[in-house]
Amino acid sequence: MNNLAGEPLVERLSGGKGGGGTRLTARGRQLVANYQIIAQEHQQFLRNLQRQAGNMADDLLLLKGMSMKTSARNQFLGKVVAIRTGAVNDEVELEVADGLRLVAVVTHDSSENLGLAPGTTAFALIKASSVIVGSGQDGMRLSARNQLHGTVSRLQPGAVNTEVVIELAPGSSIAAIITNGSASQLGLQVGSPACAIFKASSVILGVPG
């Protein structure tokens, strides 16, 4: 939600008897209040539509259910700032936060079908399993087009893998799934520097429909 909003809606709290938690920011509380108003108006709209057009409201709900849903852990919303066109593929640069840019490689046909151009609003989807984590202090030179530096904000160990969340900028973060052994070897801790690395071909682009 923070990534899509472009600013923090939920912030983490440290310390306390329960070990910290989360709370809504002022913008988050405003969003919840507006959502409740919109939900009430939507229900009233459906009741009016049902009275006027029989089963049209059922079809409206069906269309709503066809809206895009994705299992990709990382979802960013931004604007296209540059496109470099090739014979087969296009390289698309997307600004998802102030000073934070992602690069995707898509086919030229996909770029045209999506209507991508500088200034176009677009979604970027990246699976957590496609994100490689570096300690942020490796000094290695890599061919991966996307190398985003930040700070570890959360570690969630599992039986085999650990979910690592890296805060890139206020309101923007990215999640990665790595093995427990890798997390231990990297010495990852909350607050430690880290780098999220992923190939441009691992980024899926979409546009609001």
Side-chain angles (χ1 to χ4, degrees):
M1 290 187 298
N2 287 344
N3 288 340
L4 293 176
E7 60 182 298
L9 302 177
V10 179
E11 58 185 1
R12 293 181 60 81
L13 300 175
S14 59
K17 183 177 180 181
T22 59
R23 70 179 177 190
L24 291 171
T25 63
R27 180 69 180 96
R29 292 193 297 272
Q30 180 190 39
L31 183 63
V32 171
N34 287 340
Y35 171 80
Q36 293 171 340
I37 294 172
I38 293 170
Q40 292 173 3
E41 294 296 326
H42 179 65
Q43 291 302 317
Q44 183 62 44
F45 167 75
L46 290 180
R47 286 192 291 269
N48 292 338
L49 196 61
Q50 185 70 49
R51 287 195 297 268
Q52 296 174 20
N55 64 353
M56 188 182 295
D58 294 333
D59 287 342
L60 184 64
L61 291 175
L62 175 61
L63 292 172
K64 181 181 178 183
M66 293 178 180
S67 298
M68 184 186 73
K69 295 181 180 179
T70 174
S71 63
R73 181 69 173 79
N74 300 296
Q75 304 178 33
F76 296 91
L77 178 64
K79 288 189 179 297
V80 176
V81 293
I83 296 181
R84 285 169 281 278
T85 304
V88 178
N89 295 326
D90 290 352
E91 185 181 83
V92 182
E93 192 168 351
L94 190 70
E95 185 169 38
V96 297
D98 187 23
L100 180 61
R101 296 186 177 188
L102 308 178
V103 176
V105 169
V106 298
T107 65
H108 184 65
D109 285 346
S110 294
S111 182
E112 287 192 334
N113 290 337
L114 291 172
L116 297 177
T120 301
T121 298
F123 292 98
L125 309 177
I126 308 108
K127 295 177 62 177
S129 57
S130 298
V131 180
I132 299 171
V133 176
S135 66
Q137 301 172 333
D138 300 324
M140 296 178 61
R141 299 175 65 183
L142 304 170
S143 63
R145 192 68 173 81
N146 296 289
Q147 302 178 38
L148 308 180
H149 292 269
T151 303
V152 176
S153 62
R154 183 160 63 89
L155 294 169
Q156 185 63 50
V160 177
N161 295 322
T162 295
E163 181 185 67
V164 183
V165 179
I166 302 171
E167 184 175 5
L168 305 172
S172 296
S173 61
I174 189 167
I177 298 294
I178 64 175
T179 65
N180 292 340
S182 294
S184 176
Q185 185 177 13
L186 289 170
L188 296 178
Q189 297 180 6
V190 173
S192 63
C195 182
I197 305 161
F198 51 96
K199 298 194 298 183
S201 58
S202 296
V203 181
I204 299 172
L205 294 182
V207 295

